[in-house]
């Protein structure tokens, strides 16, 4: 009998942005006790693991991605005892817990940086990336911050520039310093000892820069990622991150995670914004000894068409090293909400069927199971530092509070007055909340729940093969098969009816519109506009 697959290969991971999930103490901000109180909902939805965005001590300039203490909980979210209670509750619900690890930078309020900037003779002087000014007194390179402006800030006390790939309040750690490496390894050990099941590693490819500090070349396409990045797009960031030395470091991190408790199976997930597939697959490691799951963001770049999506999926399947496990991303805390980005709820339902039937490990973002839309945040209420620095690039609209009910003006997220919420709740549509959708059998919530149950129950959907199929224009068709069972997925990306020929009888399992009766179809099946259909065949 074959050995069971690692848990992370058969799982669906659900990302929670803690300040927006549930407020247990009525201060307008989500917290760890609130998350613990709602774990029953998460487990009942049918996911297998929770990925928790940062909850560490922080000035919250970038809402936790500026860490001031890597081994403590920020009081806004609770205490270490609250975290331990969360771990215990997750285990009781059968959920794995993955936490964010932010290795590229700390907060400028971190004691390490306070020491490092004190003088050029301080014992921690090289814990961060410092450089002398250029001959003209300006920054040492032309590198740009993702959040706008130069990636270097001059520090009067040291008489040098420090590097910050993001905000000036987020100085980059020097991963070429052995003491930094060991200190950050201790952080991983600390959280593993507290029971976490893995790490999602933030901007993982950034931690190693060009040691020669060469200027980045001009970018002729003015596009570095899958979306507009403002002035950052004017240069190709080939020297400011992703140096080949990053790979030996992640092999070390992988060994640490694998060997810390040999009897505990943990996962490492890398946020790798690399779109060249050869460069991206390198993060699995030549011997699959780096990341278990490097996030793949290519579907965010693809046109929402049958041909566009199939092209990306087939290219990824072809590029994967033997034995590597794929993963796909359609939404997270940095991206516009799926229902807004793709055009509406019909497309969001299509996305659910696609994401939960492709081969590999999918991640869901809280609220996508409700079809949450991007919320327009007035300029005076914007919180995201990126949006405040570069108008139009803010991410507040995808981070708004989870709507639990229509019980109050805060939509059940909090007992606080709506004016006290960190961001406005809701997008103005009365049906977009958990309670209403739980009572509506055809809701997108019930579509997600049904898909998650099918995926968990049927090996063809969580470990089966992937075979793309010939189909009419505007239809993406593929089979997932394991043993005697085959599921066929049909996705109509057009505004019109499309008849899809069938070479054999198939049983209807599920429509994205949640209104088809079970039964056999022969000869052909008719798809409605933007409908997705899940069919089944037993040999």
């Amino acid at each position: 009998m074959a050995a069971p697959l690692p848990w992370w290969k058969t799982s669906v991971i659900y990302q929670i942005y803690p300040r927006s999930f549930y407020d247990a103490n009525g201060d307008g901000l989500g917290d760890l006790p609130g998350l613990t109180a709602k774990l029953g909902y998460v487990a009942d939805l049918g996911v297998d693991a929770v990925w928790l965005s940062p909850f560490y001590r922080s000035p919250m300039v970038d809402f936790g991605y500026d860490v001031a203490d890597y081994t403590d909980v920020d009081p806004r979210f609770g205490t270490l005892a609250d975290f331990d209670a969360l771990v215990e509750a997750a285990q009781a619900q059968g959920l794995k817990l993955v936490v964010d690890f932010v290795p590229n930078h700390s907060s400028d309020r971190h004691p390490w940086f306070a020491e490092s900037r004190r003088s050029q003779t301080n014992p921690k002087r090289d814990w961060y990336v410092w450089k002398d000014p250029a001959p003209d007194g300006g920054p040492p390179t032309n590198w740009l911050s993702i959040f706008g402006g130069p990636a270097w800030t001059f520090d009067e006390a040291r008489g040098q520039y420090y590097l910050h790939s993001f905000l000036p309040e987020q100085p980059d750690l020097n991963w070429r310093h052995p003491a930094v490496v060991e200190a950050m390894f201790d952080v991983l050990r600390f959280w593993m000892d507290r029971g976490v099941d893995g790490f999602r590693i933030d901007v993982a490819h950034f931690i190693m820069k060009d040691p020669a500090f060469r200027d980045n070349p001009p970018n002729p396409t003015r596009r570095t990622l899958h979306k507009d990045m403002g002035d950052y797009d004017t240069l190709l960031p080939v020297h400011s991150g992703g140096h080949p030395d990053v790979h030996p470091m992640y092999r070390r991190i992988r060994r640490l995670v694998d060997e810390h408790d040999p009897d505990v199976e943990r996962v490492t997930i890398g946020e790798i914004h690399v779109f060249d597939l050869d460069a991206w697959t390198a993060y699995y490691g030549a011997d699959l000894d780096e990341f278990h799951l490097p996030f793949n963001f290519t579907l965010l770049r693809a046109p929402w068409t049958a041909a566009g999506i199939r092209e990306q999926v087939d290219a990824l399947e072809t590029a994967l090293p033997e034995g590597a496990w794929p993963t796909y991303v359609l939404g997270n805390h940095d991206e516009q909400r799926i229902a807004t980005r793709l055009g509406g709820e019909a497309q969001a339902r299509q996305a659910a069927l696609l994401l939960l039937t492709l081969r590999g490990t999918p991640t869901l973002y809280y609220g996508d199971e409700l079809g949450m839309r991007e919320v327009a945040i007035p300029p005076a209420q914007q919180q995201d530092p990126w949006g405040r620095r570069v108008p139009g690039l803010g991410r507040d609209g995808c981070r708004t509070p989870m709507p639990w009910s229509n019980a109050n003006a805060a939509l059940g997220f909090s007992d606080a007055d709506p004016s006290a919420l960190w961001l406005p709740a809701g997008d103005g549509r009365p049906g977009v909340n958990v309670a209403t959708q739980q009572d509506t059998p055809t809701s997108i919530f019930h579509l997600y729940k049904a898909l998650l149950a099918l995926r968990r129950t049927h090996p063809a959907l969580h470990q089966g093969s992937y075979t793309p199929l010939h189909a009419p224009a505007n239809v993406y068709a593929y089979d997932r098969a394991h043993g005697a069972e085959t599921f066929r997925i049909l996705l109509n990306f057009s505004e019109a009816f499309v008849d899809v020929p069938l070479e054999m009888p198939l049983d209807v399992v599920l429509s994205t519109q949640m209104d088809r009766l079970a039964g056999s179809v022969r000869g052909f099946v008719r798809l409605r506009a933007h409908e997705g259909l899940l069919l089944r065949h037993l040999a």
Side-chain angles (χ1 to χ4, degrees):
M1 179 179 290
L5 292 175
W7 68 264
W8 48 268
K9 284 192 173 182
T10 59
S11 292
V12 176
I13 301 171
Y14 184 85
Q15 182 192 359
I16 291 176
Y17 200 66
R19 62 176 44 235
S20 294
F21 201 60
Y22 184 65
D23 171 20
N25 63 5
D27 65 355
L29 194 71
D31 44 48
L32 295 187
L35 170 53
T36 301
K38 294 295 187 181
L39 278 182
Y41 164 82
V42 177
D44 183 65
L45 181 63
V47 301
D48 308 280
V50 168
W51 153 28
L52 186 58
S53 294
F55 51 88
Y56 312 112
R57 279 190 179 269
S58 167
M60 298 294 165
V61 177
D62 191 23
F63 301 113
Y65 285 96
D66 50 321
V67 180
D69 187 338
Y70 284 97
T71 57
D72 200 3
V73 173
D74 192 279
R76 298 170 182 85
F77 297 133
T79 65
L80 275 172
D82 291 327
F83 181 83
D84 293 340
L86 172 63
V87 172
E88 184 177 352
Q91 292 171 347
Q93 293 281 0
L95 294 166
K96 303 291 186 182
L97 184 62
V98 175
V99 299
D100 251 342
F101 176 54
V102 187
N104 180 69
H105 48 264
S106 75
S107 166
D108 64 347
R109 309 280 184 87
H110 197 294
W112 296 345
F113 189 68
E115 288 295 309
S116 187
R117 77 190 314 177
R118 197 177 303 277
S119 73
Q120 295 190 38
T121 59
N122 189 279
K124 287 187 169 61
R125 60 188 177 275
D126 293 328
W127 279 46
Y128 292 82
V129 181
W130 294 94
K131 295 293 289 180
D132 290 331
D136 65 359
T141 72
N142 69 348
W143 299 354
L144 296 175
S145 161
I146 284 182
F147 286 168
W152 298 94
T153 289
F154 187 73
D155 186 82
E156 295 287 348
R158 279 198 47 149
Q160 290 182 304
Y161 283 88
Y162 67 87
L163 177 67
H164 51 89
S165 299
F166 295 86
L167 295 171
E169 295 88 349
Q170 293 170 297
D172 283 25
L173 285 155
N174 178 15
W175 274 80
R176 297 186 183 278
H177 194 300
V180 171
V181 173
E182 192 54 37
M184 295 302 277
F185 282 11
D186 282 344
V187 171
L188 295 171
R189 294 183 183 104
F190 177 89
W191 294 108
M192 286 190 286
D193 287 342
R194 296 198 95 88
V196 306
D197 298 290
F199 301 94
R200 176 266 189 187
I201 301 181
D202 184 60
V203 291
H205 53 302
F206 267 71
I207 67 169
M208 286 295 187
K209 286 80 173 172
D210 174 29
F213 290 93
R214 289 170 287 182
D215 279 352
N216 282 328
N219 183 0
T221 66
R222 285 194 62 91
R223 180 55 60 95
T224 56
L225 297 181
H226 54 282
K227 59 185 179 181
D228 178 22
M229 299 290 287
D231 287 345
Y232 185 75
D233 284 334
T234 61
L235 300 176
L236 288 171
V238 295
H239 298 308
S240 49
H243 188 273
D245 289 345
V246 76
H247 296 291
M249 186 57 68
Y250 281 117
R251 288 196 289 274
R252 292 181 62 186
I253 289 174
R254 172 67 176 274
R255 285 196 300 272
L256 170 66
V257 171
D258 285 349
E259 296 172 4
H260 185 72
D261 298 304
D263 295 333
V264 178
E265 201 170 58
R266 293 189 172 92
V267 67
T268 55
I269 305 171
E271 184 191 22
I272 310 291
H273 280 287
V274 174
F275 290 91
D276 177 89
L277 286 177
D278 288 337
W280 172 76
T281 57
Y283 286 88
Y284 284 101
D287 298 314
L288 301 185
D289 54 356
E290 293 184 38
F291 285 103
H292 296 92
L293 295 172
F295 270 154
N296 183 276
F297 295 98
T298 54
L299 290 184
L300 295 175
R301 203 178 203 179
W304 192 249
T305 63
I309 298 299
R310 174 174 174 171
E311 179 182 2
Q312 295 298 331
V313 174
D314 289 356
L316 185 144
E317 287 283 350
T318 300
L320 281 173
E322 184 176 357
W325 199 252
T327 182
Y328 293 96
V329 175
L330 278 177
N332 62 33
H333 64 292
D334 289 326
E335 304 301 334
Q336 193 178 59
R337 284 282 182 180
I338 289 173
T340 299
R341 191 174 73 245
L342 300 184
E345 184 169 308
Q347 290 87 342
R349 288 172 179 256
Q350 276 185 311
L353 179 58
L354 175 74
L355 192 63
L356 292 173
T357 59
L358 284 174
R359 195 172 75 89
T361 301
T363 57
L364 309 181
Y365 184 49
Y366 83 94
D368 280 345
E369 75 273 19
L370 305 176
M372 284 179 68
R373 291 178 181 266
E374 194 83 355
V375 176
I377 308 297
Q381 292 180 272
Q382 286 201 4
Q383 303 291 324
D384 183 12
W386 193 4
R388 293 202 305 267
R389 287 167 64 95
V390 187
L393 299 187
R395 300 160 294 176
D396 290 329
C398 70
R399 299 175 174 184
T400 54
M402 180 76 165
W404 292 99
S405 70
N406 283 325
N408 60 17
L411 300 182
F413 163 73
S414 173
D415 291 332
D417 185 274
S419 64
L421 303 187
W422 88 280
L423 282 174
D427 61 9
R429 295 178 298 152
V432 184
N433 65 78
V434 172
T436 299
Q437 293 205 17
Q438 284 178 330
D439 290 339
T440 308
T442 58
S443 67
I444 189 172
F445 167 83
H446 280 289
L447 172 63
Y448 267 93
K449 190 167 182 178
L451 284 168
L452 287 161
L454 287 164
R455 180 185 171 87
R456 176 176 286 181
T457 305
H458 295 275
L461 291 175
H462 65 242
Q463 67 183 83
S465 61
Y466 161 83
T467 304
L469 304 172
H470 177 73
N474 300 316
V475 173
Y476 178 28
Y478 54 95
D479 281 349
R480 298 292 312 281
H482 183 81
E485 186 175 50
T486 298
F487 281 91
R488 179 158 299 179
I489 295 88
L490 303 175
L491 292 159
N492 177 14
F493 286 80
S494 77
E495 299 283 348
F497 288 94
V498 178
D499 290 337
V500 181
L502 303 175
E503 76 280 11
M504 59 186 174
L506 295 171
D507 293 327
V508 174
V509 177
L510 190 67
S511 162
T512 53
Q513 298 183 23
M514 296 291 286
D515 61 353
R516 286 203 189 235
L517 298 176
S520 181
V521 287
R522 297 170 179 267
F524 74 95
V525 64
R526 175 163 291 177
L527 298 179
R528 291 166 286 183
H530 296 293
E531 183 181 22
L533 198 59
L534 184 63
L535 306 163
R536 180 169 173 252
H537 172 71
L538 281 173

